[in-house]
Amino acid sequence: MNKLIPFLAILFFISCNSKAQNKKESKKYAFVKSEEQWKKILTDKEYYVLREAGTERAFTSPLNKNYKEGTYVCAACKTALYKSEHKFDSGTGWPSFDRAIKGNVELDVDYKIGYARTELKCNTCGSHLGHSFDDGPQKTTGKRHCINGVALNFIPKEK
């Protein structure tokens, strides 16, 4: 019996150290391109933000202060992501929305700066858009989707 206890302890620690639980399956997106193909169709700044999860400088996007009626689409694959009626001025320097078009934006976890943040990605091509925060308008969703303007194209509403 005394020899069994150390054996069980070692077995317990080995089973707790398994990496099987840490494996994250790679999502399959409907719109897929190689990195070389992305580099050919995106500008350097778009590639940096959309494919390398970079961040554009605050207050540099012309879409930050765009309040025309229309739809904001993914700059990479043209999927409709946000409606103009859900856009608000957060004062942060990036286009901000209180919600996405249902089913078109994926939520993921990003640990790049040392703690967990909710990353927002295009659900069609997997491109990085920005991050979600809980400091949005309390009268609506309470969410702030802080989006890199370079990740979006604006399609004005037809009159």
Side-chain angles (χ1 to χ4, degrees):
M1 180 70 176
N2 287 340
K3 291 182 180 181
L4 185 60
I5 292 173
F7 174 75
L8 291 175
I10 291 170
L11 184 63
F12 173 77
F13 287 115
I14 290 172
S15 66
C16 288
N17 197 25
S18 170
K19 296 198 186 306
Q21 295 174 355
N22 295 334
K23 283 187 181 177
K24 185 176 179 185
E25 288 193 31
S26 182
K27 181 178 176 180
K28 304 285 186 226
Y29 293 101
F31 191 90
V32 179
K33 294 197 174 293
S34 71
E35 292 311 307
E36 287 305 312
Q37 290 172 314
W38 283 122
K39 286 179 181 179
K40 287 180 181 176
I41 64 170
L42 299 173
T43 67
D44 289 344
K45 190 184 277 190
E46 287 171 337
Y47 185 84
Y48 169 67
V49 170
L50 292 162
R51 306 309 305 167
E52 295 179 332
T55 302
E56 69 185 356
R57 283 190 8 248
F59 302 100
T60 60
S61 172
L63 295 180
N64 185 42
K65 295 291 185 181
N66 177 39
Y67 294 104
K68 297 174 185 168
E69 286 187 61
T71 304
Y72 295 84
V73 301
C74 176
C77 71
K78 310 309 180 222
T79 295
L81 302 173
Y82 294 97
K83 294 180 181 177
S84 59
E85 63 255 32
H86 300 133
K87 188 172 189 295
F88 67 97
D89 186 356
S90 65
T92 61
W94 290 280
S96 298
F97 304 85
D98 70 353
R99 72 196 81 165
I101 294 173
K102 190 171 179 121
N104 291 0
V105 174
E106 171 189 0
L107 303 175
D108 201 356
V109 181
D110 167 10
Y111 293 98
K112 282 173 63 176
I113 61 172
Y115 61 90
R117 295 186 296 172
T118 303
E119 180 182 12
L120 301 169
K121 295 180 178 179
C122 174
N123 205 22
T124 302
C125 68
S127 290
H128 171 79
L129 305 170
H131 292 89
S132 178
F133 301 97
D134 293 326
D135 59 359
Q138 294 305 305
K139 291 182 180 180
T140 60
T141 64
K143 298 291 183 187
R144 173 172 55 98
H145 286 204
C146 186
I147 307 299
N148 291 283
V150 73
L152 302 172
N153 289 333
F154 178 71
I155 309 297
K157 182 179 180 179
E158 292 183 19
K159 295 187 182 199

